[in-house]
Amino acid sequence: MNDNGCIHLNNFKAAKGTHPYKIVHAFFVSCTSYEARKYKATSCLCFTCGKPGPRMHSCLHCIFFGCYAGHIQDHSKTKKHFLYVDLSFGNIFCAQCQDYIYDRELTDIAVTHRLKEAKSLGLYVPYTPWLPNNNEAMALRRLRKRRLISPHTTIGLRGLQNLGSTCFMNCIVQALIHTPLLRDYFLAEKHKCKAQSSGKCLVCEVSKLFQEFYSGAKTPLTLHRLLHLIWTHARHLAGYEQQDAHEFFIATLDVLHRHCMNGVEDIEKKENGRCNCIIDQIFTGGLQSDVVCTSCSGVSTTIDPFWDISLDVAGPGSLQACLERFTRAEHLGSAAKIKCSNCRAYRESTKQLTLETLPIVASFHLKRFEHSSQIDRKISAFISFPAELDMTPFMSSHRRAVDMGGADNNNAPQGIFEDNRYSLFAVVNHLGSLDAGHYTAYVRQMKGSWFKCDDHMITRASLREVLDSEGYLLFYHKTVLEYECDVS
């Protein structure tokens, strides 16, 4: 395929524009409506042999369908029409150049039609590869060494100086830096700050931090500006004493979320009213709570957003076992009666938590620090966690399917297959006691490549070493991403 187009296509567009291509692509390639699909199924036959292929093409100059194997060439000779649309992929074939021709304007039209096709079929948006524009192509030609990341590269790996018991911050920063979609967002410079002073915007500071991590430099970074911004906007964390890494993680997400919403970026609300900032797109899920009256079996359901899931650690076990306990129905007892809207009286009930929607990044907090009136202690019981995790058993849709006597594909809507598999990419550990402890982190730089981050020290680690660690915060990234249609 020619990447530079051809004079014949350019002359055709100058004379007739892109409308002929739009019509052919909408009706016979993407089929953006039921009528188009029906018309293609009944009318898209070769005008010469009457067959549906192979490799059916449509003439751009007139109404003619022909097979690639000779029939469109015959049409070119008799009618002097040289441009054709491949009805399988939407590519333009020039009979004079004897090549497929690339054109950016026509490619954009095809992408729009594919989105409409997916929406009309009730499917997720199909994957389309990234196509560089002229400026990006020129940059790639100048920086040839940056095209491919070698297996032994250290790009994206930098140590962080401890500013005085700030290992909790360093670990959370390492986890965020190695969150794939967050990395892609900031390295693509998607953040457009509209604040009066970018020096007060945490999103701007994080954007600069990503640039520093992926600049190729290896010297440790000092995060005094980031720490100051967090202190300014989350004053309960101010001070140089040791802080809880989980609390810092939630506070950081909260400040980033607020800075995205407070006029820093244009925020569009989805139909369900959920914020569409990059933080909520990646980290927000929906936690469903079903309270069932034991007298009339009436159900009261609420769905609340969450950024992470905190799990009790009762003793040695596994992450899956902790999740099973978290989603198990619990009898609330006589001391916690609720007013049933059906019975119109206070009744005993059961409560069950399940996951209505899953975030792209699932963050798990193992509650190892126990604080009570009698004692404060750390629970160091070993909790095993997998490199690959399937969240299907903990979904609300799966529980509904089980209740109805089946659990195929977690009862997903018809025509949509939901893949709830996750892959581990970061682990934060707490070493030592409750009073005298230290945080370290393991991060996955790329598939199969793990590193231990201990403040300014970065060392290579094995997956076995990661899975054998104690685990305090666990970060999983969804293996397969579904894209929602948003085409009117």
Side-chain angles (χ1 to χ4, degrees), residues 203 305 307 334 476:
V203 189
W307 279 334
S334 58
Y476 286 83

Side-chain angles (χ1 to χ4, degrees), residues 286 288-290 299 301-303 352 354-357 392-413 418:
Q288 179 170 317
S289 173
D290 294 310
V299 181
T301 298
T302 57
I303 300 175
Q352 185 169 21
T354 52
L355 302 174
E356 173 61 23
T357 55
T392 298
F394 317 110
M395 295 288 292
S396 307
S397 53
H398 179 80
R399 185 174 68 85
R400 288 193 296 267
V402 171
D403 292 343
M404 291 186 296
D408 294 336
N409 186 31
N410 65 25
N411 204 29
E418 294 184 356

